[in-house]
Amino acid sequence: MNFNPFPIYGLLFVAYLVLFVSIKLTRPTKEILSSIHFGLLSLFALQGLASLTFGMTGIALSQKNINLALLIPILLMATWCYQYRQKIQSSISQAYIDQRIFFVYLACALLAITAGLLFFTTDLIPSSMTGDPARHFMHIINPAETGEAPTHKPIYYLWAGLFIHALPALQNDQLFVLFNIFVLGLSTSSCLLILLKIFPLIGRLPIFTAAMLVNFGYALFALHFGYYTLLLSSAYLFSMLAALVEYKNSQDEKIYWLITLLAIGIVL
């Protein structure tokens, strides 16, 4: 019997985030949304490493192989969660959603959509001041057709390709635009996440002002000129700094696996 690999990937994706958040909640901070944020980026980094390995060893870039690569960290985390299940259950009971962080993600998402629609219009017409986006687009489409894994900027190309091929309702170029609007929001929210870690008592008006400045500052400039991969790397940079601030007094060496993965994301 043949199974559609995309629904299987969706289940694995959710399983990874649930396990990651469960593990992270055992650390000092029991906030859920930032845990999902870190989990998403760590998953991007892990799969970027897998894609890089595929490209260097000649393994085909198929959804089946991507699923198998994702299954490995899931099994490792599931084993850890089982061993420390009582600690995890206790941590989950103390978990909470920080209203300021929720407001940050909401504001960043709305501003990113607004900026994207102002620039690309509601028709999501690809447009840029440089030729970089066209080259990025070709790198995304070709591997899916030839089965070759990218060794250059593997995180961006892998995830943009997954995004495009998992949502066939729109044209590929429109989905490409939507993906980069998503990256814009991720970069902006990552930047604000570290501001929240540095200034824990900051109010909503300063947060919104900062979100406006970040989103319509360099981030929109990068979107306008097509420097999409720089937006994704900036999301990793800011998130890594936020993790360092959050765990600067932690004595648990395991937490630095997260920081290492975020640093790998910047490199890739």
Side-chain angles (χ1 to χ4, degrees), residues 12-59:
L12 293 173
F13 178 89
V14 172
Y16 178 93
L17 285 183
V18 169
L19 290 169
F20 180 94
V21 171
S22 298
I23 293 172
K24 190 174 179 298
L25 289 179
T26 63
R27 281 16 182 194
T29 303
K30 302 295 190 293
E31 205 283 318
I32 294 177
L33 293 179
S34 61
S35 298
I36 295 174
H37 181 106
F38 289 133
L40 185 65
L41 285 175
S42 73
L43 177 56
F44 283 16
L46 279 172
Q47 295 209 284
L49 279 174
S51 179
L52 177 65
T53 303
F54 290 172
M56 295 178 67
T57 57
I59 299 175

Side-chain angles (χ1 to χ4, degrees), residues 31 33 97-107 204:
E31 205 283 318
L33 293 179
I97 295 177
D98 189 310
Q99 291 185 355
R100 293 176 310 120
I101 293 181
F102 174 79
F103 178 76
V104 161
Y105 288 128
L106 178 62
R204 292 196 177 188

Side-chain angles (χ1 to χ4, degrees), residues 17-214:
L17 285 183
V18 169
L19 290 169
F20 180 94
V21 171
S22 298
I23 293 172
K24 190 174 179 298
L25 289 179
T26 63
R27 281 16 182 194
T29 303
K30 302 295 190 293
E31 205 283 318
I32 294 177
L33 293 179
S34 61
S35 298
I36 295 174
H37 181 106
F38 289 133
L40 185 65
L41 285 175
S42 73
L43 177 56
F44 283 16
L46 279 172
Q47 295 209 284
L49 279 174
S51 179
L52 177 65
T53 303
F54 290 172
M56 295 178 67
T57 57
I59 299 175
L61 182 66
S62 66
Q63 190 62 52
K64 178 181 178 181
N65 289 337
I66 292 173
N67 290 351
L68 289 173
L70 177 55
L71 187 60
I72 296 173
I74 286 177
L75 292 175
L76 292 174
M77 289 193 297
T79 301
W80 193 95
C81 287
Y82 179 76
Q83 292 177 343
Y84 296 91
R85 53 191 180 279
Q86 293 182 345
K87 185 177 182 180
I88 289 176
Q89 289 174 356
S90 175
S91 298
I92 290 176
S93 65
Q94 302 174 46
Y96 67 96
I97 295 177
D98 189 310
Q99 291 185 355
R100 293 176 310 120
I101 293 181
F102 174 79
F103 178 76
V104 161
Y105 288 128
L106 178 62
C108 290
L110 293 176
L111 287 171
I113 293 171
T114 300
L117 293 180
L118 285 173
F119 184 62
F120 298 112
T121 77
T122 56
D123 294 323
L124 301 176
I125 300 172
S127 177
S128 175
M129 295 297 290
T130 69
D132 278 5
R135 290 190 290 272
H136 292 322
F137 185 68
M138 292 306 297
H139 277 297
I140 292 166
I141 297 302
N142 287 340
E145 295 175 349
T146 63
E148 295 178 0
T151 57
H152 181 59
K153 301 179 182 177
I155 293 178
Y156 179 85
Y157 293 138
L158 175 65
W159 271 89
L162 285 172
F163 187 88
I164 286 175
H165 291 89
L167 302 171
L170 298 175
Q171 297 295 322
N172 284 348
D173 55 352
Q174 292 177 310
L175 289 169
F176 178 63
V177 169
L178 273 180
F179 177 76
N180 290 299
I181 292 174
F182 164 75
V183 173
L184 171 65
L186 186 61
S187 176
T188 305
S189 60
S190 297
C191 182
L192 264 69
L193 185 61
I194 185 172
L195 292 181
L196 290 176
K197 300 295 182 183
I198 297 174
F199 306 106
L201 300 180
I202 189 172
R204 292 196 177 188
L205 180 58
I207 289 175
F208 184 77
T209 303
M212 288 282 292
L213 292 173
V214 173

